[in-house]
Amino acid sequence: DKWYEVVPENDNAALRVIAAGSWMSRPEGWDAAFPRISLVNFRKELSAEQRSLLEQFLASNQEALGEVRAAASMERSRYPINLKEGYNALLPDLSQVKRLAQDQGELARYYADEGRPADAVQCLREIHGLARTLKDEPVLISQLVRIACHAIGHRVLERVLNSCQLSEPQLEELEMLLLRAEKENVTGVKRGLHGELAMGLDLFRRSFRVQAGLAGVPANGLGGSPVTWVLLGLRKALGLDGVDQAFLVRHMQKAIAVCDLPFPEQLEQWKRIDAALMTQLKDGRRLFYTVSSMVVPALGKAGERTVDCTAQLRVARCAVAIERFRLAHQGRLPANLEELVPELDPAVLRDPCTGLSLVYKQDGGGYQLYSLGLDARADEKDATGSLSMRVERGFENGSRPEK
């Protein structure tokens, strides 16, 4: 709690998000009409039913949407969670943060199709603001929700670039949002790993009954395999708690150190950590690592999501840079990504999964950008996957028609 500092009420973006989530009302049929934002459904045109639902949503939620807008403009955030509870701490606001980001994504799609770029950019601003409210939360799942918000923003940006013209100031603002998000991405995950280590160590200070619960024994102490009770008793008597704790600290510290490595070395190390843990935490050894087996298996997947997010943000930054280039050169696309330098930091051109350049292909008046992904191998799905961006429409003189 001392590390995740309390923020004065008037400066706390999290409280605005909580208020927005509690006030937001969605018309009947909303969930069926708007399944979770995905690559496939977000590239589709809005149906008449979806447009009607969005118009109802806008009309009935002005106050709640104002709270989201206010939260996005604030720098400090602290959700009212009790970290002294460790792994028992409740995190009820995470689902609302992601739901609000999804709402903003659908609104951005509506505004983009209506030829209202300023409103679409405002939605992108708010998606980034919602993600930013979680950047300091020292819990790994909170960081994964932050990453999920950025994935929504990635799809939204693609739709906006395909649907309406953005001005140079709007594109510059988006570049700044994406730059900030990339800087906060790895530091946020690192903070989450520190929090997981602290909560894991806290479990060793708790009672034998708590550790028994982790091993699958019911909370009332009744039942459970006699073998489990015997092994847990032996574990305690033989001092294996110390072995388990040392294992936890060693592997968590390795994971925290990986966050400081450059790409693509970071991805390679995450894969090695994941493979090593799976070998060491085979079923027969789990009772010797009761606490560790609960905490550390998520490390590799969390690391991969970190790299994924960085790849998405770099693809998005390159797309924004291409649009700025097109505005400055009478609609001409760059022949290659190197033409974006020095206006764009050359490091942004590098695929964090491979260390090579992101893939850029012109396609008529449009283009494709993508990362090769976690397998670092070129295949057909990369060009249309979650780490891609496709801008299909070309416009003469760098302008798109307004509706």
Side-chain angles (χ1 to χ4, degrees):
D1 280 327
K2 290 180 181 178
W3 196 30
Y4 190 27
E5 294 181 355
V6 174
V7 175
E9 183 174 336
N10 290 338
D11 299 331
N12 193 352
L15 300 183
R16 298 296 188 99
V17 172
I18 292 169
S22 65
W23 297 344
M24 199 73 77
S25 63
R26 297 167 182 87
E28 186 177 351
W30 180 270
D31 291 338
F34 299 107
R36 70 180 185 87
I37 289 178
S38 70
L39 190 70
V40 175
N41 66 42
F42 212 66
R43 283 176 174 166
K44 294 178 180 178
E45 293 296 320
L46 287 168
S47 67
E49 178 193 8
Q50 287 174 321
R51 296 177 72 82
S52 175
L53 287 169
L54 283 163
E55 287 162 2
Q56 293 175 52
F57 178 81
L58 280 168
S60 61
N61 286 294
Q62 286 302 303
E63 190 172 6
L65 291 169
E67 289 296 297
V68 177
R69 188 173 298 111
S73 69
M74 302 169 79
E75 289 296 320
R76 303 179 67 192
S77 177
R78 208 285 192 190
Y79 287 90
I81 61 175
N82 182 9
L83 291 171
K84 292 184 178 69
E85 294 294 322
Y87 282 111
N88 291 321
L90 299 178
L91 304 169
D93 304 309
L94 294 182
S95 60
Q96 283 288 13
V97 172
K98 187 174 179 182
R99 188 83 189 271
L100 291 170
Q102 290 172 327
D103 292 341
Q104 290 299 318
E106 298 298 351
L107 288 174
R109 182 157 58 143
Y110 172 78
Y111 288 135
D113 288 359
E114 285 290 296
R116 295 165 61 178
D119 291 324
V121 169
Q122 179 63 39
C123 291
L124 279 163
R125 190 181 296 125
E126 288 165 21
I127 291 170
H128 278 267
L130 287 164
R132 198 164 55 246
T133 65
L134 295 170
K135 71 179 178 65
D136 292 329
E137 192 148 293
V139 184
L140 197 53
I141 192 171
S142 302
Q143 296 303 321
L144 294 177
V145 171
R146 176 188 56 77
I147 287 171
C149 289
H150 285 309
I152 292 169
H154 188 76
R155 297 273 67 87
V156 170
L157 177 62
E158 181 184 67
R159 182 58 172 256
V160 171
L161 294 181
N162 273 285
S163 300
C164 57
Q165 174 66 57
L166 300 185
S167 66
E168 170 59 23
Q170 289 168 338
L171 290 166
E172 183 178 13
E173 179 186 1
L174 291 176
E175 160 61 17
M176 292 300 102
L177 286 173
L178 294 164
L179 170 62
R180 179 173 182 175
E182 185 174 341
K183 288 180 177 178
E184 292 171 349
N185 184 37
V186 175
T187 57
V189 171
K190 185 176 180 180
R191 189 176 180 85
L193 291 171
H194 277 293
E196 296 294 319
L197 174 57
M199 288 188 283
L201 291 173
D202 178 65
L203 285 175
F204 289 103
R205 303 186 184 99
R206 294 178 181 259
S207 68
F208 175 71
R209 190 173 301 280
V210 171
Q211 293 192 22
L214 292 174
V217 176
N220 61 11
L222 302 175
S225 166
V227 174
T228 299
W229 280 109
V230 170
L231 289 175
L232 283 170
L234 284 172
R235 165 195 163 88
K236 205 75 173 174
L238 295 173
L240 292 179
D241 266 6
V243 174
D244 191 359
Q245 183 170 334
F247 181 88
L248 173 70
V249 171
R250 183 168 65 254
H251 285 280
M252 290 300 295
Q253 287 180 336
K254 283 182 181 178
I256 290 167
V258 168
C259 293
D260 294 325
L261 295 175
F263 297 107
E265 185 180 352
Q266 190 175 130
L267 175 59
E268 189 58 39
Q269 290 302 317
W270 283 123
K271 290 179 177 178
R272 288 180 183 176
I273 285 176
D274 198 34
L277 287 173
M278 292 305 100
T279 299
Q280 291 176 282
L281 291 177
K282 289 180 179 177
D283 289 341
R285 304 182 189 180
R286 283 186 181 270
L287 282 174
F288 296 98
Y289 301 118
T290 305
V291 175
S292 299
S293 64
M294 184 187 76
V295 179
V296 296
L299 295 183
K301 292 301 180 185
E304 289 179 358
R305 297 289 78 75
T306 308
V307 179
D308 264 357
C309 185
T310 298
Q312 284 185 328
L313 292 166
R314 289 189 180 180
V315 166
R317 289 179 68 188
C318 283
V320 169
I322 289 170
E323 294 303 313
R324 296 180 75 181
F325 181 97
R326 182 144 62 174
L327 276 177
H329 294 83
Q330 294 74 49
R332 180 176 74 83
L333 289 169
N336 51 60
L337 293 181
E338 285 67 28
E339 271 201 87
L340 302 175
V341 179
E343 285 77 11
L344 185 66
D345 181 351
V348 180
L349 310 181
R350 301 293 119 194
D351 185 341
C353 300
T354 65
L356 304 174
S357 179
L358 293 166
V359 179
Y360 167 62
K361 296 179 179 179
Q362 293 190 35
D363 182 12
Y367 55 90
Q368 289 182 326
L369 273 169
Y370 56 91
S371 160
L372 294 187
L374 298 177
D375 63 4
R377 293 195 302 269
D379 53 50
E380 189 174 333
K381 74 179 189 310
D382 293 328
T384 57
S386 63
L387 306 184
S388 69
M389 188 161 292
R390 185 175 70 203
V391 179
E392 295 180 317
R393 300 182 183 178
F395 300 89
E396 293 183 3
N397 301 319
S399 64
R400 292 172 172 80
E402 297 279 349
K403 290 188 178 180

